[in-house]
């Protein structure tokens, strides 16, 4: 996902996400460092992050529609 964020401020997702990891492991890169999230963990990813899948992942997340749409539109344009 990280290359698709190129062109966004600092190359990071500016949308907050609240959710729950169902399967897999994910590294979340921020300006302050990195955190690992695994199946069974709830999460909050504030604006300013870039995900890196460490293995196949499944998660459910909830995000503000307008902020998420901006990120999705940007990643689609990277196509």
């Amino acid at each position: 996902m990280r290359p698709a964020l190129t062109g966004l401020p600092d190359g990071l997702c500016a949308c907050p996400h609240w959710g729950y990891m169902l399967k897999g492991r994910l590294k979340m890169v921020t300006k302050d460092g990195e955190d690992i999230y695994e199946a069974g963990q709830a999460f909050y990813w504030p604006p300013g992050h870039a995900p890196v899948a460490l293995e196949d992942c499944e998660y459910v997340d909830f995000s503000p529609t307008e902020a998420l749409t901006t990120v999705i539109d940007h990643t689609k344009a990277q196509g």
Side-chain angles (χ1 to χ4, degrees), residues 13-28:
C13 178
C15 179
H17 307 275
W18 293 261
Y20 185 79
M21 292 289 297
L22 300 168
K23 175 184 170 186
R25 293 177 61 237
L26 181 87
K27 176 171 61 174
M28 192 58 68

Side-chain angles (χ1 to χ4, degrees), residues 3-4 25-26 53 62 68 78:
R25 293 177 61 237
L26 181 87
F62 302 91
L68 183 60
Q78 301 304 303

